[in-house]
């Protein structure tokens, strides 16, 4: 609690309690009919009431200052929490990137150690074998990047349903169309 707030609350409470004495004197003087005592006691009561209002204003000012301080503290705490969360995210991102890089390195090393070969640059295929994602052996497959016949003759290659290369026929292409009306 702010010092001004405490001072204001205590001062207002004390002055309100002190105001009780002149009010009792006023009531007693009114019963007796003593106007001079009544006026004096009301003057004292008014002074105590004014002081109580002044202390109340001081308490309000102290509470406003305290509210501003609390807001500033909350902003600082929020900024600290945001920065802390950013750091955590950076650390998580770095850890994830390291994990991905380690997995890539592991996959590359696995492929090299299992004898996997890529297609050659000269256009001829090579054997590819290895292990599947679930750990099972993948059968050996013979691939050709560019069929030899197509590369030599510069003609398109035709493939059969079994995947073998077939030479295109030398005959012209014919087409028959029938229209029903």
């Amino acid at each position: 609690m702010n010092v001004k707030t405490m001072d204001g609350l205590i001062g207002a409470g004390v002055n309100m309690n002190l105001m009780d004495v002149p009010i009792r004197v006023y009531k007693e003087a009114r019963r007796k009919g003593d106007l001079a005592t009544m006026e004096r006691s009301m003057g004292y009561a008014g002074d105590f009431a004014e002081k109580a209002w002044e202390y109340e204003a001081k308490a309000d000012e102290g509470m406003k200052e305290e509210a501003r301080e609390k807001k500033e503290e909350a902003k600082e705490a929020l900024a600290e929490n945001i920065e802390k969360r950013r750091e955590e995210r950076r650390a998580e991102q770095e850890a994830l990137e390291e994990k991905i890089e380690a997995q890539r390195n592991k996959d590359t090393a696995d492929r090299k150690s299992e004898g996997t070969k890529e297609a050659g640059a000269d256009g001829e295929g090579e054997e590819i074998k290895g292990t599947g994602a679930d750990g099972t052996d993948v059968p050996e497959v013979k691939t050709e990047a560019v069929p030899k016949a197509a590369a030599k003759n510069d003609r398109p290659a035709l493939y059969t349903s079994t995947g073998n290369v077939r030479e295109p026929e030398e005959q012209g292409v014919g087409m028959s169309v029938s229209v029903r009306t």
Side-chain angles (χ1 to χ4, degrees):
M1 185 176 272
N2 193 340
V3 174
K4 283 186 176 182
T5 305
M6 287 179 13
D7 187 34
L9 292 174
I10 292 171
V14 167
N15 279 296
M16 290 303 286
N17 289 337
L18 289 176
M19 195 170 64
D20 288 343
V21 174
I23 294 294
R24 264 189 268 129
V25 171
Y26 171 80
K27 289 179 183 177
E28 183 68 33
R30 188 177 72 182
R31 240 178 348 131
K32 293 181 183 177
D34 188 3
L35 282 171
T37 306
M38 286 173 48
E39 286 178 9
R40 256 191 339 264
S41 64
M42 284 309 289
Y44 291 132
D47 290 342
F48 288 131
E50 281 182 34
K51 286 183 182 178
W53 287 112
E54 289 172 7
Y55 279 110
E56 182 187 10
K58 190 174 186 179
D60 287 341
E61 184 181 320
M63 286 190 284
K64 287 177 184 175
E65 286 179 10
E66 188 174 358
R68 276 187 293 238
E69 290 172 3
K70 292 286 183 184
K71 283 182 183 179
E72 289 174 8
E73 290 175 4
K75 284 181 182 178
E76 290 174 4
L78 181 63
E80 289 175 8
N81 286 339
I82 289 172
E83 186 61 31
K84 183 178 178 183
R85 184 63 185 139
R86 283 182 184 157
E87 289 297 322
E88 289 174 359
R89 283 185 181 173
R90 282 186 203 126
E92 290 172 0
Q93 184 69 24
E94 289 173 0
L96 183 61
E97 288 173 358
E98 289 174 2
K99 186 176 178 182
I100 290 170
E101 186 63 31
Q103 186 64 34
R104 284 182 188 157
N105 292 340
K106 180 182 175 198
D107 290 346
T108 304
D110 288 347
R111 273 190 263 137
K112 287 180 181 177
S113 67
E114 291 174 358
T116 302
K117 295 181 182 176
E118 299 293 330
D122 60 353
E124 296 190 19
E126 298 178 2
E127 291 183 8
I128 297 177
K129 66 179 184 176
T131 306
D134 58 354
T136 60
D137 287 334
V138 176
E140 293 182 14
V141 178
K142 181 79 173 175
T143 63
E144 288 188 15
V146 177
K148 292 178 185 178
K152 291 179 184 175
N153 300 331
D154 291 329
R155 295 188 329 202
L158 299 175
Y159 294 94
T160 64
S161 61
T162 60
N164 296 326
V165 177
R166 184 179 69 157
E167 291 292 323
E169 297 176 9
E170 295 295 325
Q171 302 172 5
V173 178
M175 182 185 302
S176 80
V177 177
S178 61
V179 179
R180 294 185 185 176
T181 56

